[in-house]
Amino acid sequence: MGLDTILAMLLTVIAAATPLLLAAIGELVSEKAGVLNLGVEGMMLVGAVIAFATTVGTGSPALGILAAMIGGMVMALAFGVLTLTLMANQVATGLALTIFGIGLSSLIGADYIGTPVDKLASLSIPGLSDLPVIGPLIFGHDILVYLSVAITVAVAWFLKKTRAGLILRAVGESDLSAHSIGYDVIRVRYFAVLFGGLTAGLAGAYLSLSYTPMWVEGMTAGRGWIALALVAFASWRPWRVLGGAYIFGGVTILQLYLQGGGDIGIPAQVMNMLPYLATIIVLTVISAGPWRGRLDAPACLGKPFRPAS
Amino acid sequence: MALKIEARRQISTRMLYLTPFIAVAATVVAGFFVFMILGSDPVESLYVFFLSPFETKYGFSELCVKAAPLIMIAIGLALGYRANIWNIGAEGQLTVGAVCGGAVALAFWDEAGIYILPLMALAGLAGGALYAAIPAFLKTRFNVNEILTSLMLTYVATLFLSVLVFGPLKDPQGYNFPQSRMFTDSATLPIIWEETRLHLGFVVALAIAVAGWVLLSRSIIGFQIRTLGSAPAAARYAGFDRTRLTWFCLMLTGALAGLAGTFEVSGPIGQLVPNISPGYGFTAIIVAFLGRLHPLGIIGSGMLMALSYMGGENAQINLGLPQAVTGVFQGMLLFFLLASDFLVRYRVRVVKPAVEGI
C-alpha cells in the first residue's frame, strides 16, 4: 500500500467523521443540559435538503450552509416547544421529530433528485495547501471540516472554563438546585437544544454539499442515530466525541476499502452492516465494561422540568 | 385577564381520549396550509387525501390491507411503551420475520398443502422474536439502551434481506431481478373479500388487538406492565421481575412484527423483494401513541394511519404531489398529539389579574 493510498484513506476518514462529529457535538451540549433529543436524524435530513435546495436555488453554498443551520434550529425549536414548554415525553417527541424530518425532507427534496451541485470548495491556502502529504491532509478541506473541529474545541472550552458552561451543566445535573439559586432552567435548555439543531443542520449540509454532493432520500442513513450512540460512547466528553467520530469514520471507510480490495467473497451489503454492528458492539462494551458506573450521564437527562409556581 | 396553567390532581381521562381527535383536527388544518404551499387546491387535496379512499370498494379494502400490519405491530409496541421499554426496531423485526416466513414458502415451492401457511407464520413469529431477543439480551444482561440497538438492527436487517434477494433466494428464472420466486397458492394468504387484496391477516390483526386488550387489562403480566410504567418504585417494591418483563415485551413485539412481515410477503406482495414495508414498523410507533397505547384504540388509529398511506398514494396519482406528503402528515399528527397531551395533565384557566403594585 503506497503513501498515496494511505493519504487517500485518511482523507476519506476525515470526510466520514465530519458529519458524525458535527451532529454529536450538538447533541452532547443538549444532553449536558439534561435534554435527550432523539430527533438528530430528522434534523440532519432537513438540514441536508435545505442546504442543497438553497445552494441550487441561489448558487451560493454559503447561503446553503446558513439555511441548513436555520432549518436545523427550527426543527429543534419545535422539539423544544413540545418537550420544554409543553413537557411532552422526550423519547416520543424525538421519534416524532425524526419521522417528521424524514417526511419533510423527502417532500422538499422531491424536485431535486438527480440535480447536480458543485462539491463544496476546499479552502486553499497558497503555499500550505501545496505541501506534499500535509497540504491535502491538513490544509485541503472545506470550511465545514474545520468548523466541526473548531466547534468541538469551543464546546470543550465553554463547558469547562466558562460560567455559562457551568450553569448549563448544573441545569443538566440538578435542575431543581439550578432553579432554586435563580437560573432559568427552561431558557438554558432551549439554548442547548437550539445549538443541537444548529450543528445537526450543519452535519446535514456537509452530507449533501460535500460528502456526496447531491440529494438522496434518507441520505443520512442512520448517522443521526450513530451520533447519539457516540455521545454515550464518549461519556459526554467533547474530546472523546472527537476521537469517537474519527474511529467511526474509520469503520465506515474500512468497508469501502475492503470492497475495493478485490473480491473477498463477502457481499457488499455485509460490509455495509459494519458501522451499525460496530455501534452495537461499542454500546455494549461501554455499558458492560469496567467503566460501568462512571458513565457520567447527566443526572437529569430525559426528565421534564416544571418550575413550581 | 391572564392565563394560568395548573397541574391537574389526576390526569383527565376525558382529555386522554379527546386528544387524538384534537390532534387529527389540527393535522387537517395544518394539512390545508401544506397543500396551499405545495400549490394545489387545499380543499380538493384534503378530499383526495382523506376521503377518496372510502369511495370505492378497492379503496376501503386497501385501507384494511395497510392497517393490518400497523395494528399488529402497534399492539406489541404499546405493551412495551407502557412499561417504558422502547423498541423502535419493529421495522427490522418485520423484515427478519418476512425473510423467515418467506424462506419457508420457498423451501416448499414445489409442494402444496395446508400445512405450509401455518409453518410460515410460525417461522415469522420465531424470526421476529429472536431478532428482538438481541436488544432484550443486551438490555437485560449489559444494560445497553434498547432504543439504539433495536434501531441499528433495522439497518442490518434491511441489508440482510438485500443479501438474500440478490443472492441465495433470487428467482432462478427471474432474469436476474433481485426478487425471489412468486409464492405458490399454498403459501399465499386466502383472500377474504373477493376482487380485492384483503387477506386473512386483517382478521388475525383484529383478533390480536382483542387478545392484547385482554392481556393488558385482565392478566397478571398486564398488571405488572402497567405498574412498571406508571409506578416503577411500586413495581420494584412488589417484586415484579423487570428483566422478565423486558424480555416479554420485546419478544412479543418482535414476534408480532415478524408475523406482520410474513403476512406482507405472503399476502399483498407474494414474494421476497428488497423493499417489503413502506415503514410500517416506524409508523406503528405513531399508531401506538395515537391509540393511547390501548389495544382497542389502536384498531382505530391503525385505520387512520393506513389512510395516510392511501392518501399519499392518491395525492401522487391524482394531484401529482410527492408521496412523501404521507410522512409529513404522520409526523405532524404525532407532534400535535404530543402537544395536546399537555391538556391531559394540566389545565389552562383564565384568572382575573392580581392587583398590581403590591
Side-chain angles (χ1 to χ4, degrees), chain A residues 212-228:
Chain A
T212 47
M214 57 179 163
W215 165 250
V216 183
E217 268 188 27
M219 68 185 303
T220 48
R223 286 187 182 83
W225 296 100
I226 293 178
L228 275 159

Side-chain angles (χ1 to χ4, degrees), chain A residues 73-117:
Chain A
M73 282 168 77
V74 169
M75 290 283 282
L77 183 66
F79 178 84
V81 169
L82 278 164
T83 56
L84 300 176
T85 303
L86 298 178
M87 283 159 288
N89 179 314
Q90 291 180 9
V91 172
T93 311
L95 292 175
L97 195 68
T98 290
I99 292 171
F100 179 70
I102 292 170
L104 183 66
S105 61
S106 345
L107 188 61
I108 298 173
D111 294 338
Y112 293 96
I113 293 172
T115 311
V117 71

Side-chain angles (χ1 to χ4, degrees), chain B residues 316-338:
Chain B
Q316 186 180 32
I317 296 163
N318 300 333
L319 307 169
L321 293 172
Q323 209 179 337
V325 165
T326 298
V328 174
F329 270 84
Q330 292 180 349
M332 284 197 307
L333 187 57
L334 187 50
F335 268 139
F336 287 128
L337 181 76
L338 292 166

Side-chain angles (χ1 to χ4, degrees), chain B:
Chain B
M1 295 277 278
L3 293 176
K4 187 163 181 270
I5 294 167
E6 318 180 316
R8 294 177 192 271
R9 281 213 195 97
Q10 281 188 313
I11 62 158
S12 161
T13 319
R14 194 166 55 109
M15 274 299 171
L16 190 66
Y17 295 112
L18 201 60
T19 43
F21 297 96
I22 298 175
V24 171
T27 307
V28 171
V29 173
F32 185 90
F33 292 104
V34 169
F35 285 125
M36 219 155 75
I37 293 167
L38 291 172
S40 73
D41 177 12
V43 177
E44 189 204 345
S45 306
L46 283 176
Y47 178 81
V48 168
F49 197 92
F50 285 106
L51 295 176
S52 67
F54 291 102
E55 281 176 341
T56 59
K57 177 179 166 185
Y58 171 80
F60 187 69
S61 68
E62 279 297 296
L63 211 56
C64 299
V65 169
K66 290 176 166 56
L70 292 174
I71 293 171
M72 285 166 67
I73 300 167
I75 295 291
L77 291 178
L79 290 174
Y81 293 172
R82 279 195 180 234
N84 270 328
I85 295 158
W86 299 95
N87 176 8
I88 58 169
E91 182 82 2
Q93 292 141 23
L94 177 149
T95 305
V96 172
V99 165
C100 294
V104 171
L106 295 170
F108 289 99
W109 75 278
D110 52 358
E111 288 182 43
I114 53 164
Y115 57 90
I116 294 177
L117 265 177
L119 268 184
M120 289 169 64
L122 279 180
L125 284 164
L130 285 176
Y131 207 55
I134 302 172
F137 172 72
L138 294 174
K139 167 88 178 174
T140 53
R141 179 73 181 77
F142 299 116
N143 198 26
V144 188
N145 183 321
E146 74 279 17
I147 297 176
L148 289 170
T149 49
S150 62
L151 189 95
M152 289 293 131
L153 287 171
T154 297
Y155 290 99
V156 175
T158 312
L159 289 164
F160 177 60
L161 171 66
S162 165
V163 172
L164 292 179
V165 292
F166 277 93
L169 296 185
K170 191 161 64 181
D171 183 356
Q173 283 110 43
Y175 306 101
N176 226 10
F177 278 108
Q179 53 196 31
S180 76
R181 294 177 196 274
M182 288 300 290
F183 295 174
T184 57
D185 285 348
S186 296
T188 309
L189 283 171
I191 297 293
I192 56 170
W193 195 5
E194 276 172 34
E195 296 162 29
T196 72
R197 301 200 302 167
L198 187 60
H199 54 80
L200 192 62
F202 183 66
V203 181
V204 175
L206 294 182
I208 287 172
V210 174
W213 176 63
V214 173
L215 178 80
L216 195 62
S217 60
R218 297 277 183 274
S219 76
I220 303 260
I221 200 156
F223 175 69
Q224 293 183 338
I225 286 171
R226 283 181 287 142
T227 313
L228 193 63
S230 55
R236 209 163 39 238
Y237 191 65
F240 296 168
D241 189 344
R242 190 179 162 87
T243 303
R244 208 169 58 101
L245 286 177
T246 305
W247 275 99
F248 177 79
C249 289
L250 279 166
M251 302 257 304
L252 182 74
T253 313
L256 291 176
L259 187 63
T262 299
F263 283 177
E264 282 307 293
V265 291
S266 65
I269 304 175
Q271 63 187 144
L272 284 177
V273 291
N275 288 309
I276 288 171
S277 144
Y280 286 142
F282 295 113
T283 305
I285 297 170
I286 307 178
V287 172
F289 280 115
L290 193 66
R292 309 269 49 159
L293 305 182
H294 189 294
L296 301 184
I298 284 169
I299 297 178
S301 61
M303 294 295 283
L304 188 73
M305 294 316 277
L307 181 63
S308 75
Y309 278 112
M310 289 289 291
E313 286 174 17
N314 286 354
Q316 186 180 32
I317 296 163
N318 300 333
L319 307 169
L321 293 172
Q323 209 179 337
V325 165
T326 298
V328 174
F329 270 84
Q330 292 180 349
M332 284 197 307
L333 187 57
L334 187 50
F335 268 139
F336 287 128
L337 181 76
L338 292 166
S340 52
D341 261 354
F342 183 74
L343 298 170
V344 175
R345 284 166 295 141
Y346 299 91
R347 75 173 113 225
V348 181
R349 281 227 303 226
V350 181
V351 291
K352 288 187 184 142
V355 181
E356 296 284 328
I358 297 176

